[in-house]
């Protein structure tokens, strides 16, 4: 083996890791302090390694192998930092971080001991300074102690392993250290841990973590029960074990446990099939209303003059789709009368004028057209009626099929019970078949019906598993304006199922979505950007989106007049996390516009634009110079003082990088 090549490869890995750990890591990265400590220690080791390759030491097979193993360990840690996101389990992240850091420690110390022995036995005149550097590095690594977070977590885990409940004081410390006191944070952590429990290779380890999270939830429920509303204690069984809030719509799962409907639905929508409290596998995923508990809560509220508001559902994935129903207009009607203008013309017309005018007109026309279809969008229906309509979907008559698809479209528009009935009636497959209809209006009704149905998490899964992805792509390529936009929104809805981000990306959806981003109406561009954003969460899709030419359109959409700045910058932020994304953003002239967003954009836009500029500057000194030439420093200084917490952090990292570049340049000039 050529030790020079191995050393060069390792020192490059060191540089990438050091830069990422010091400047590019997320603020909520587990064991962040430890990663920075390791990065600083590796700087010392890198200096020693730079000299080793030029010493008189001969190539050593054992040493080469040890260096390669350390290279793997450092790159594994770097990839973990790069891939970390706020959806992941904080607690399991600490476990993974400790394992990764310990491996770097062990491998580094082993190399130091080998090198120390080899150099001591050589007659190199430079050996004294090299040995001193290595000794210093070994001392630094041996002095590395885990963060308090990791220590407390290990203490709690030891109790779990001994089948004991951790002391209350320890659980409270962990809640504080991991910032799990918020009900939404605890729900997010519970879901993240359970998802890891499904996929991880070390079931015993994640099982212990799952048990710990259970004890944390139980503790939080007990603490909540000590709180009062209007001076009255809240009974513990009125509190959802997942949201830690007074239940509004309690439902029973197959194990007999009761939860708030929205929280347990989100749990199920993430593919989790164990009861959060009993940890037993659910025999089915039906949610049965708990009228007894709901009645008790209602009586308790009336008696104690407590007003119960519907809980905030903004964190639910299904609600994310529901929000888009308002923002993106899921049921975007053409409002076509049989003897009036074409679908495309009327669809376009319905979006003209002011926003308020369009909304009010749309609502009125929607009700009018729904009435023409024989249903009101808010009306419930019967299973037998739905079955008859589903039978009509399979009719040989185009007119009958179109009418049936239209009816299902409206029945599914606003009524949750109707969606469930339609899903259970066998409508999904016939609707998917109609996506290939030669009748554009039939195709539009079918795709919009599927989109409205996908708001329900279980039906979303049914649609995906019934092979809807390719037919939706066909509509995206061949449909009328409204159909294309709704197909894009439907693909976004399906991409909320994690495994379908991969399938949608591999099935050819990205190119037509990018085409819609470039040539669609404003509504279509927003639909396409939303779908592409969600697909870009999966790493392999980033390259596909870039290769399909999305960056050019996104840079154009950073013009404030497009009303798309925030969406464009959010998607570019994901694409900038890969080198080819940085290259194309710079090549398409994105840097001046990004600096402008940092200066004049919304809070979210400033945050994402700063993140992109940081990625660009870390990627290349050339981009760094271009960013500075655009006058980025003043708005970044302002942002570092008054932006969101993430924007402040990114702005400070970028300003620190500028200083580092200037100091390095100054140092080179002096030498």
């Amino acid at each position: 083996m050529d030790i020079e090549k191995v050393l060069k490869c390792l020192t490059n890995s060191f540089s990438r890791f050091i830069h990422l750990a010091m400047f590019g890591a997320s603020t909520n990265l587990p064991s962040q302090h430890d990663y920075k400590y390791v990065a600083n220690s590796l700087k010392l080791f890198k200096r020693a390694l730079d000299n080793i390759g030029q010493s008189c030491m001969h190539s050593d097979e054992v040493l080469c192998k040890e260096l390669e193993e350390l290279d793997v360990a450092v790159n594994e840690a770097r990839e973990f930092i790069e891939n970390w996101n706020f959806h992941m389990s904080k607690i399991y992240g600490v476990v993974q971080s400790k394992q990764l850091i310990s491996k770097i420690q062990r491998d580094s110390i082993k190399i130091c001991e080998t090198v120390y022995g080899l150099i001591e036995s050589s007659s190199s005149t430079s050996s004294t300074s090299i040995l001193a550097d290595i000794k210093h590095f070994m001392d630094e690594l041996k002095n590395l102690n885990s963060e308090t977070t990791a220590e407390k977590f290990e203490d709690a885990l030891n109790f779990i392993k001994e089948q004991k409940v951790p002391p209350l004081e320890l659980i409270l410390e962990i809640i504080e250290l991991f910032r799990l006191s918020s009900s939404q944070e605890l729900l997010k952590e519970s879901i993240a841990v359970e998802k890891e429990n499904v996929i991880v290779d070390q079931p015993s380890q994640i099982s212990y973590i799952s048990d710990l999270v259970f004890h944390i939830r139980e503790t939080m429920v007990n603490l909540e029960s000590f709180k009062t509303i209007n001076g009255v204690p809240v009974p513990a069984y009125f509190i959802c074990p997942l949201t830690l809030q007074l239940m509004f719509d309690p439902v029973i799962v197959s194990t007999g446990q009761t939860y708030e409907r929205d929280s347990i639905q989100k749990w199920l929508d993430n593919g989790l099939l164990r009861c959060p409290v009993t940890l037993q596998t659910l025999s089915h995923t039906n949610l049965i209303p708990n009228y007894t508990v709901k009645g008790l809560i209602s009586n308790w509220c009336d008696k104690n003059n407590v007003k119960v508001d519907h809980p905030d559902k903004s964190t639910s994935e299904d609600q994310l789709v529901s929000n888009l129903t308002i923002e993106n207009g899921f049921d975007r009607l053409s409002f076509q009368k049989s003897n009036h203008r074409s679908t495309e013309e009327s669809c376009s017309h319905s979006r003209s004028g002011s926003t308020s005018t369009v909304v009010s007109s749309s609502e009125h026309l929607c009700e009018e057209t729904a009435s023409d279809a024989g249903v009101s969008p808010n009306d419930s229906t019967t299973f037998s009626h739905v079955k008859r309509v589903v039978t009509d979907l399979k009719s040989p008559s185009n007119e009958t099929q179109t009418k049936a698809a239209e009816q299902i479209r409206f029945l599914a528009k606003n009524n949750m019970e109707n969606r469930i009935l339609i899903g259970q009636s066998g409508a999904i497959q016939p609707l998917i078949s109609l996506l290939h209809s030669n009748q554009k209006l039939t195709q539009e009704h079918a795709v919009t019906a599927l989109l409205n149905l996908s708001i329900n998490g279980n039906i979303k899964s049914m649609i995906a598993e019934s092979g809807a992805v390719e037919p939706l792509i066909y509509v995206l390529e061949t449909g009328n304006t409204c159909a294309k936009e709704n197909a894009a929104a439907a693909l976004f809805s399906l991409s909320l199922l994690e495994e379908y981000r991969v399938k949608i990306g591999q099935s050819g959806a990205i190119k037509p979505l990018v085409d819609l981003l470039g040539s669609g109406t404003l509504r279509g561009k927003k639909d396409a950007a939303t779908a592409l954003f969600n697909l870009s969460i999966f790493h392999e899709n980033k390259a596909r989106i870039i290769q399909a030419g999305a960056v050019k359109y996104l840079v154009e959409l950073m013009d404030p007049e497009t009303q798309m700045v925030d969406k464009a910058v959010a998607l570019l932020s994901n694409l900038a996390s890969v080198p080819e994304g940085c290259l194309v953003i710079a090549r398409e002239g994105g840097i001046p516009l990004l600096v402008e967003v940092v200066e004049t954009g919304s809070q979210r836009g400033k945050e994402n634009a700063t993140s992109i500029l940081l990625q660009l500057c870390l990627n290349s000194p050339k981009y760094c110079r271009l960013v500075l030439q655009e006058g980025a420093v003043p708005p970044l200084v302002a942002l570092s003082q008054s932006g969101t917490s993430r924007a402040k952090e990114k702005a400070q990292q970028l300003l620190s990088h500028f200083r580092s570049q200037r100091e390095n340049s100054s140092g080179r000039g002096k030498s």
Side-chain angles (χ1 to χ4, degrees), residues 313 317-327 330 419 455:
K313 300 191 288 182
E317 287 183 341
D318 276 351
Q319 186 61 20
L320 184 56
V321 181
S322 297
N323 289 343
L324 284 170
T325 306
I326 299 168
E327 183 192 345
F330 261 14
R419 292 183 197 122
I455 294 171

Side-chain angles (χ1 to χ4, degrees), residues 141-203:
L141 272 189
K142 288 176 179 177
N143 288 333
L144 172 60
N145 294 315
S146 296
E147 281 188 308
T148 306
T149 307
E151 292 173 353
K152 296 295 182 184
F153 168 72
E154 283 186 355
D155 291 342
L157 220 57
N158 287 333
F159 281 97
I160 301 289
K161 290 174 182 177
E162 294 171 8
Q163 298 185 335
K164 296 177 183 176
V165 177
L168 177 62
E169 307 79 40
L170 184 55
I171 289 180
L172 291 176
E173 282 184 277
I174 289 172
I175 290 170
E176 181 66 22
L177 287 167
F178 284 95
R179 299 178 183 176
L180 298 176
S181 55
S182 153
S183 60
Q184 292 301 333
E185 280 298 311
L186 184 54
L187 175 58
K188 181 162 71 69
E189 181 65 16
S190 299
I191 289 174
V193 168
E194 188 63 13
K195 288 174 82 170
E196 290 290 350
N197 199 21
V198 173
I199 62 174
V200 82
D201 294 328
Q202 298 170 290

Side-chain angles (χ1 to χ4, degrees), residues 69-193:
E69 288 173 353
L70 177 58
D71 186 60
V72 170
V74 170
N75 281 314
E76 284 177 347
R78 177 183 56 76
E79 287 173 5
F80 176 81
I81 297 173
E82 283 179 340
N83 294 327
W84 174 261
N85 64 69
F86 73 97
H87 290 298
M88 296 169 137
S89 163
K90 298 177 186 176
I91 297 177
Y92 189 58
V94 166
V95 175
Q96 291 173 297
S97 292
K98 183 169 183 188
Q99 291 170 347
L100 292 165
I101 291 169
S102 295
K103 192 168 189 304
I104 292 175
Q105 277 182 288
R106 287 194 307 270
D107 290 349
S108 298
I109 290 171
K110 189 162 58 173
I111 290 168
C112 287
E113 290 168 349
T114 302
V115 171
Y116 208 97
L118 288 168
I119 295 179
E120 265 192 327
S121 63
S122 76
S123 57
S124 171
T125 55
S126 61
S127 61
T128 303
S129 62
I130 296 173
L131 289 175
D133 284 342
I134 291 172
K135 181 72 167 59
H136 187 187
F137 171 66
M138 286 175 69
D139 291 339
E140 285 286 312
L141 272 189
K142 288 176 179 177
N143 288 333
L144 172 60
N145 294 315
S146 296
E147 281 188 308
T148 306
T149 307
E151 292 173 353
K152 296 295 182 184
F153 168 72
E154 283 186 355
D155 291 342
L157 220 57
N158 287 333
F159 281 97
I160 301 289
K161 290 174 182 177
E162 294 171 8
Q163 298 185 335
K164 296 177 183 176
V165 177
L168 177 62
E169 307 79 40
L170 184 55
I171 289 180
L172 291 176
E173 282 184 277
I174 289 172
I175 290 170
E176 181 66 22
L177 287 167
F178 284 95
R179 299 178 183 176
L180 298 176
S181 55
S182 153
S183 60
Q184 292 301 333
E185 280 298 311
L186 184 54
L187 175 58
K188 181 162 71 69
E189 181 65 16
S190 299
I191 289 174
V193 168

Side-chain angles (χ1 to χ4, degrees), residues 384-394 404-405 407-408 411:
S384 58
H385 173 68
V386 171
K387 289 293 285 184
R388 286 196 297 273
V389 178
V390 171
T391 301
D392 287 345
L393 287 175
K394 305 170 189 176
Q407 283 204 354
I408 289 180
L411 287 171

Side-chain angles (χ1 to χ4, degrees), residues 243-436:
T243 65
L244 309 179
Q245 303 292 321
L246 188 67
M247 286 185 281
F248 173 85
D249 186 10
V251 293
I252 306 169
V253 298
S254 65
T255 59
Q257 296 295 319
T258 297
Y259 301 90
E260 175 62 34
R261 181 186 293 275
D262 293 334
S263 64
I264 192 63
Q265 186 64 62
K266 180 175 182 181
W267 181 274
L268 296 172
D269 287 349
N270 276 276
L272 307 179
L273 299 177
R274 293 202 307 172
C275 173
V277 169
T278 67
L279 301 183
Q280 296 172 317
T281 301
L282 298 171
S283 59
H284 60 78
T285 57
N286 297 333
L287 303 178
I288 303 166
N290 192 332
Y291 294 116
T292 302
V293 170
K294 187 169 185 175
L296 289 170
I297 292 173
S298 178
N299 291 336
W300 180 85
C301 290
D302 290 341
K303 181 180 177 182
N304 296 290
N305 196 28
V306 173
K307 183 180 178 181
V308 182
D309 293 321
H310 196 292
D312 179 16
K313 300 191 288 182
S314 61
T315 55
S316 160
E317 287 183 341
D318 276 351
Q319 186 61 20
L320 184 56
V321 181
S322 297
N323 289 343
L324 284 170
T325 306
I326 299 168
E327 183 192 345
N328 289 357
F330 261 14
D331 198 355
R332 289 183 290 272
L333 297 171
S334 62
F335 312 130
Q336 179 185 2
K337 297 296 181 180
S338 57
N339 57 347
H340 283 47
R341 59 187 175 272
S342 70
T343 302
E344 285 83 350
E345 290 170 341
S346 49
C347 179
S348 175
H349 176 78
S350 72
R351 296 180 190 164
S352 62
S354 69
T355 304
S356 58
T357 305
V358 172
V359 170
S360 59
S361 300
S362 297
E363 287 171 351
H364 172 73
L365 287 167
C366 173
E367 295 296 334
E368 181 182 10
T369 313
S371 176
D372 291 344
V375 295
S376 165
N378 296 308
D379 283 350
S380 297
T381 188
T382 63
F383 188 70
S384 58
H385 173 68
V386 171
K387 289 293 285 184
R388 286 196 297 273
V389 178
V390 171
T391 301
D392 287 345
L393 287 175
K394 305 170 189 176
S395 168
S397 163
N398 287 332
E399 185 179 350
T400 303
Q401 287 180 339
T402 304
K403 192 75 172 176
E406 184 183 21
Q407 283 204 354
I408 289 180
R409 168 183 182 165
F410 289 112
L411 287 171
K413 183 181 185 323
N414 292 321
N415 193 296
M416 180 180 66
E417 287 77 13
N418 284 355
R419 292 183 197 122
I420 294 169
L421 285 178
I422 293 165
Q424 292 172 343
S425 68
I428 304 301
Q429 200 61 62
L431 284 171
I432 291 173
S433 298
L434 291 180
L435 297 181
H436 286 282

